[in-house]
Amino acid sequence: MNFKKFQEPIYVTRPFLPNLEEVNVLLQDIWEEQILTNGGPKHQELEKALCDTLKVQGLSLFNNGTIALIIACQALGLKGEVITTPFTFPATPHVLTWNNIKPVFCDIDPLTMNIDTSKIESLITPETSAILGVHVYGTPCNVFEIERIAKKHGLKVIYDAAHAFGVEIDGRGIGTFGDISMFSFHATKLFHTVEGGCLAYNNRDLKSYIDLLKNFGIKNEDEVILPGINGKLNEIQAAIGLINLKHLEEERKRRAALIHLYKTRLAEVEGVSFIDLPSNIVPSYQYFVIRVSEKNFGMSRDELHLKLKEYNVITRKYFKPLCSDYQCYQHLPSATQERLPVAYSVVNEVLALPLYGTLALEDVEIICELIHSLTTRPSVHSNKSCSNSKVLK
Ligand code: T4K
């Protein structure tokens, strides 16, 4: 079969864009109120609405997820060393560095691609203050085992839940696990406020402290009681959030249909696998990521990435390079390839395929056929998804 190049690039993602008329209605409100930022009415409304959506006790909005995570470390008084994953976006280890904390990289689970809980305890030293897990691509970390280890060793737990908006385990919001979870509301996320993010926590007492930290430490007109920073989300961003929240279910349904189609079509392609979450987990629909086995597919992940680009299908190798490979972290004893064998292998297999609500099902059909046509191996008729039963053991 001959494939034509897509006329326009099909990107890995496109932001959800509400109707401009809806935006104008809320802009009109803001213009009338003349409150543009500093915790105005839209900001307050969005905080309340998100507490319900995410099923969390307390929540603070931020101007982006990275600043939120920096503040989370401050709020919990973390210091010394924090154990985290090398298989993540640069923001995760960088927030530790910005807090003068040493990241200690732990290898990842070969199936979930999240921090391997069986390897955490061997990395704990007297300097360790916390575990920073990342729910990579929205797949939950082994939260119960992390809780057990943290309790045993008196450690705090922070989750980078940048990809995990709306994820639930047995009906429980993912943001209720650990001490604090960070969600990113960047334009490329399922739910976004253009740029933005939040911290979610169970301990409501944290709210006043976190809110002080994100507003320069200003207590009142006469007192500045902490060396805080500017982490505030403005009213226009909050308005976009309120509108996007109304459309969340439609966006999730569209993405669910696209993922279903990808899974159905790619199940037959030898050497291509993907995660299937157990039914007790509500997924995030944030990314659709495949793993490419060069041996079984007949082409490496990098070759597939370039081949698809020739047809204007712009996939992403999230998260290559590993954080442990960045020049600023290579010197760390925990950053060597010998200590992170799974991460160094997985990072050469993963490929995020296009996924966003306005992507046409027909285009997903073509992308799958294209991938099918590129394999040098015969089709198999079995379901080869990486069943993710280990996630919650
Ligand atoms: N922790 C984790 C695990 C994260 O993944 C992230 C962010 C963070 C922490 C930090 O949260 P924030 O501080 O960002 O809130 C994108 C996002 O910028 C980044 O937020 C996200 N993770 C990361 C996984 O993806 P890039 O470098 O891939 O973005 P970019 O500009 O290449 O965008 C990807 C594609 O999206 C483009 O090819 C086209 C499309 N796009 C993008 C933008 C920004 C659009 O169509 N319109 C747009 O406005 O990082």
Side-chain angles (χ1 to χ4, degrees), residues 10-17 62-69 85 87-93 95 133-137 160-163 182-189 194-198 286-287 314-316 318-319 356:
I10 301 207
Y11 293 107
V12 69
T13 191
R14 303 254 68 183
F16 174 80
L17 290 172
F62 278 86
N63 49 4
N64 63 62
T66 307
I67 293 285
L69 214 43
T85 170
F87 188 61
T88 181
F89 193 66
T92 316
V95 303
V134 182
H135 305 301
V136 176
Y137 313 139
D160 176 336
H163 307 168
M182 177 281 281
F183 295 88
S184 165
F185 303 155
H186 182 264
T188 53
K189 299 293 184 285
V194 183
E195 287 269 4
C198 78
Q286 174 61 52
Y287 294 109
I314 316 298
T315 58
R316 292 298 283 266
Y318 291 136
F319 291 101
Y356 47 92

Side-chain angles (χ1 to χ4, degrees), residues 129-329:
S129 59
I131 300 164
L132 169 51
V134 182
H135 305 301
V136 176
Y137 313 139
T139 303
C141 289
N142 193 338
V143 287
F144 300 112
E145 183 59 8
I146 289 176
E147 189 175 315
R148 188 195 66 78
I149 296 168
K151 269 203 181 125
K152 180 174 159 196
H153 296 272
L155 304 177
K156 300 283 186 198
V157 176
I158 297 188
Y159 285 112
D160 176 336
H163 307 168
F165 190 92
V167 170
E168 293 177 16
I169 301 175
D170 290 322
R172 182 172 161 190
I174 193 75
T176 62
F177 293 94
D179 294 284
I180 300 183
S181 293
M182 177 281 281
F183 295 88
S184 165
F185 303 155
H186 182 264
T188 53
K189 299 293 184 285
L190 170 87
F191 166 78
H192 75 85
T193 56
V194 183
E195 287 269 4
C198 78
L199 293 181
Y201 31 81
N202 290 325
N203 179 357
R204 287 190 216 192
D205 296 344
L206 276 173
K207 181 155 180 62
S208 51
Y209 191 50
I210 287 175
D211 288 352
L212 268 173
L213 282 170
K214 78 169 190 193
N215 187 28
F216 312 100
I218 298 175
K219 187 178 176 199
N220 56 42
E221 228 176 86
D222 299 310
E223 289 173 283
V224 177
I225 58 171
L226 289 168
I229 198 167
N230 184 353
K232 291 169 282 131
L233 186 88
N234 68 48
E235 286 292 281
I236 299 175
Q237 291 170 296
I240 298 288
L242 286 169
I243 298 165
N244 287 352
L245 209 48
K246 278 201 223 148
H247 296 283
L248 183 66
E249 264 331 289
E250 303 155 34
E251 179 70 10
R252 285 162 66 88
K253 278 194 187 130
R254 285 196 211 104
R255 288 176 180 225
L258 295 164
I259 290 173
H260 179 72
L261 184 59
Y262 268 129
K263 287 186 172 176
T264 310
R265 294 289 181 266
L266 294 178
E268 294 176 4
V269 182
E270 180 70 1
V272 168
S273 59
F274 41 80
I275 289 183
D276 247 346
L277 292 171
S279 59
N280 66 326
I281 295 179
V282 175
S284 69
Y285 307 108
Q286 174 61 52
Y287 294 109
F288 181 70
V289 177
I290 56 168
R291 282 171 70 174
V292 182
S293 152
E294 181 172 359
K295 186 163 147 263
N296 297 329
F297 184 67
M299 181 184 274
S300 71
R301 184 277 315 273
D302 288 351
E303 287 167 315
L304 178 60
H305 168 76
L306 288 175
K307 252 306 170 220
L308 290 172
K309 205 182 238 175
E310 285 176 20
Y311 291 92
N312 240 345
V313 179
I314 316 298
T315 58
R316 292 298 283 266
K317 298 179 252 180
Y318 291 136
F319 291 101
K320 191 182 169 80
L322 291 174
C323 300
S324 46
D325 235 3
Y326 304 165
Q327 216 187 347
C328 51
Y329 299 127

Side-chain angles (χ1 to χ4, degrees), residues 57-75:
Q57 296 290 320
L59 185 144
S60 298
L61 290 172
F62 278 86
N63 49 4
N64 63 62
T66 307
I67 293 285
L69 214 43
I70 288 176
I71 297 287
C73 297
Q74 294 268 322

Side-chain angles (χ1 to χ4, degrees), residues 370-383:
L370 193 50
I371 294 173
H372 217 138
S373 74
L374 293 171
T375 179
T376 55
R377 302 287 182 265
S379 297
V380 289
H381 292 274
S382 64
N383 189 351

Side-chain angles (χ1 to χ4, degrees), residues 100-114:
N100 288 321
I101 293 167
K102 181 160 121 188
V104 174
F105 294 114
C106 179
D107 206 3
I108 59 171
D109 180 278
L111 206 58
T112 65
M113 299 178 268
N114 287 329

Side-chain angles (χ1 to χ4, degrees), residues 320-382:
K320 191 182 169 80
L322 291 174
C323 300
S324 46
D325 235 3
Y326 304 165
Q327 216 187 347
C328 51
Y329 299 127
Q330 275 172 4
H331 67 282
L332 295 172
S334 65
T336 62
Q337 190 162 348
E338 300 77 65
R339 291 189 182 211
L340 305 166
V342 180
Y344 273 88
S345 150
V346 162
V347 79
N348 291 315
E349 295 178 1
V350 282
L351 196 62
L353 302 184
L355 180 69
Y356 47 92
T358 51
L359 179 61
L361 286 164
E362 298 72 41
D363 289 345
V364 169
E365 291 270 12
I366 295 170
I367 293 167
C368 293
E369 278 177 36
L370 193 50
I371 294 173
H372 217 138
S373 74
L374 293 171
T375 179
T376 55
R377 302 287 182 265
S379 297
V380 289
H381 292 274
S382 64

